[in-house]
Amino acid sequence: MFKALVIESTGGTVSTSIQNLDDVRLPAGNVTIAVEYSTVNYKDGLVVTGAGGLVKQYPHVPGVDFAGTVIQSGDPTYKPGDKVILTGWRVGEVRWGGLSQKAAANAEWLVPLPSGLTTRQAMAIGTAGFTAMLAVIALEAHGLTPKSGEVLVTGAAGGVGSVATAILAKRGYQVVASTGRPETHEYLKRLGATTIIDRSGFADPAKRPLEGERWAACVDSVGGNTLARVLAQTKYGGSAAAVGLAGGSKLDHTVIPFLLRGVNLLGIDSVMCPMPRRVEAWHRLQSDLPLDLLEVMTIEARLDEVPRLAAEILQGQLRGRVVVDVNR
Ligand SMILES: NC(=O)c1ccc[n+]([C@@H]2O[C@H](COP(=O)([O-])OP(=O)(O)OC[C@H]3O[C@@H](n4cnc5c(N)ncnc54)[C@H](OP(=O)(O)O)[C@@H]3O)[C@@H](O)[C@H]2O)c1
């Protein structure tokens, strides 16, 4: 038996409970993992509250990521006792996920836990932090260096934003953090932001296709008008990494910044990300993310606190990252 957060749906209304489940209910997968930690990401917020329509079959166990120890493996890549991480592959959406004491997965979805990280640290990073690292790698692959100028992070006090801020600062960039929450200013400075700006400056639709050039690059968690304004303000040859849609999924813009300023719009996907890039990103996280700052941005929660936290993340009320100890 194992304990899990279970979502059920009755007449279109979802409810959650902590249940003891039999091992036979684990989904198909050639590796069984004793989960130690999972997290609450924005997508978990959608799944747990039923807001996104992402789950097609109930009852469902959420949790788009987890880290733990292999109990049993039918694949030679892993043996009992190995520490592993899983993010993405639509686990926690179309398959049962990691907000559970046990999970089953296919070996090719797992990443060995990097030697410099604990399972708790890996999930404090979680999908959000892993995605922030993918964004920084993509920006640098498109020519960004600390000499390029200011790098904007939008939704800076959220999970992706906090990790992106800390990584960029550690790598020597001038980080401009955009947030709607004045109470997070000191926190963002501690993570390494050199300048803090209010997100309201990006809220209105772009009036012109080009505005004054300011940003060498951007890690954008917000989308919508924010991303449109960022593109209009990106310097010649600069790049914006589109990570999220916390402020909206519609992008109303012209192609002018691409044509006249050679601006790059880089799509960042963590879910189906190929394995070599995953391994590279986890490797880079060990050197590029200061672990003391990871602790500063992380709170720990129990499984029964997840429904409340899921609602709060959708309201933009959570700061940084939440790591869930599924055995507490
Ligand atoms: N592409 C991928 O593979 C991938 C992976 C992970 C996450 N994501 C996406 O990235 C986004 C961020 O995820 P997360 O886990 O970091 O969520 P999060 O912790 O809730 O962070 C989102 C932040 O966006 C800002 N925000 C929220 N609502 C807003 C609004 N209406 N207008 C402007 N800003 C708003 C808030 O920051 P401030 O309070 O600082 O303003 C909030 O903290 C989500 O859309 C998520 O789906 C994508």
Side-chain angles (χ1 to χ4, degrees):
M1 300 289 284
F2 63 96
K3 193 172 72 173
L5 180 67
V6 178
I7 314 174
E8 286 163 302
S9 174
T10 318
T13 305
V14 299
S15 60
T16 55
S17 58
I18 307 290
Q19 295 184 17
N20 284 308
L21 303 175
D22 200 290
D23 282 11
V24 295
R25 296 192 64 189
L26 282 171
N30 55 11
V31 183
T32 310
I33 300 106
V35 178
E36 290 160 21
Y37 294 96
S38 184
T39 81
V40 179
N41 296 280
Y42 192 89
K43 195 183 274 177
D44 296 309
L46 295 173
V47 168
V48 171
T49 61
L54 298 171
V55 179
K56 305 296 176 216
Q57 241 188 329
Y58 292 97
H60 178 71
V61 173
V64 301
D65 45 18
F66 61 79
T69 305
V70 172
I71 304 172
Q72 173 274 324
S73 174
D75 185 288
T77 317
Y78 294 104
K79 59 180 188 320
D82 287 348
K83 301 277 186 190
V84 291
I85 304 171
L86 183 144
T87 66
W89 304 112
R90 305 200 69 197
V91 168
E93 296 176 60
V94 299
R95 288 175 54 90
W96 281 16
L99 287 162
S100 166
Q101 291 176 320
K102 272 190 196 170
N106 291 334
E108 62 265 29
W109 299 341
L110 299 168
V111 173
L113 182 74
S115 56
L117 295 176
T118 64
T119 49
R120 185 182 184 281
Q121 287 165 335
M123 281 301 104
I125 295 167
T127 298
F130 168 67
T131 308
M133 189 73 249
L134 290 177
V136 173
I137 290 172
L139 292 172
E140 291 181 340
H142 283 77
L144 181 69
T145 72
K147 291 200 175 116
S148 307
E150 290 179 309
V151 180
L152 177 68
V153 176
T154 64
V160 172
S162 293
V163 178
T165 299
I167 290 172
L168 288 162
K170 167 86 191 297
R171 291 186 64 71
Y173 290 96
Q174 295 170 58
V175 183
V176 178
S178 166
T179 182
R181 290 181 276 176
E183 68 274 19
T184 65
H185 288 193
E186 281 312 310
Y187 161 78
L188 290 167
K189 282 189 192 145
R190 189 157 174 206
L191 297 187
T194 39
T195 309
I196 318 272
I197 58 175
D198 194 283
R199 76 184 193 199
S200 59
F202 299 107
D204 296 331
K207 290 197 182 72
R208 302 187 304 274
L210 295 176
E211 300 181 37
E213 294 180 58
R214 177 159 182 191
W215 316 117
C218 173
V219 177
D220 176 51
S221 292
V222 176
N225 287 342
T226 299
L227 181 56
R229 296 295 296 276
V230 167
L231 289 170
Q233 297 170 12
T234 299
K235 282 167 53 168
Y236 191 93
S239 307
V243 173
L245 43 59
S249 59
K250 191 164 184 294
L251 181 61
D252 186 7
H253 211 281
T254 74
V255 296
I256 300 298
F258 311 127
L259 308 188
L260 297 193
R261 286 188 184 157
V263 166
N264 305 299
L265 177 56
L266 311 178
I268 306 298
D269 169 55
S270 66
V271 177
M272 305 308 286
C273 175
M275 190 52 74
R277 207 177 301 157
R278 285 174 189 263
V279 172
E280 181 195 355
W282 282 107
H283 182 73
R284 281 278 302 267
L285 278 158
Q286 288 183 96
S287 54
D288 291 3
L289 177 62
L291 291 178
D292 57 332
L293 294 183
L294 179 64
E295 199 52 42
V296 167
M297 66 178 86
T298 303
I299 59 163
E300 188 173 310
R302 298 183 310 266
L303 267 185
D304 63 357
E305 295 174 290
V306 170
R308 170 180 59 80
L309 294 164
E312 287 178 8
I313 199 167
L314 296 186
Q315 300 299 317
Q317 290 169 355
L318 293 189
R319 192 191 82 173
R321 298 280 302 135
V322 177
V323 66
V324 180
D325 179 348
V326 299
N327 297 302
R328 241 173 79 193

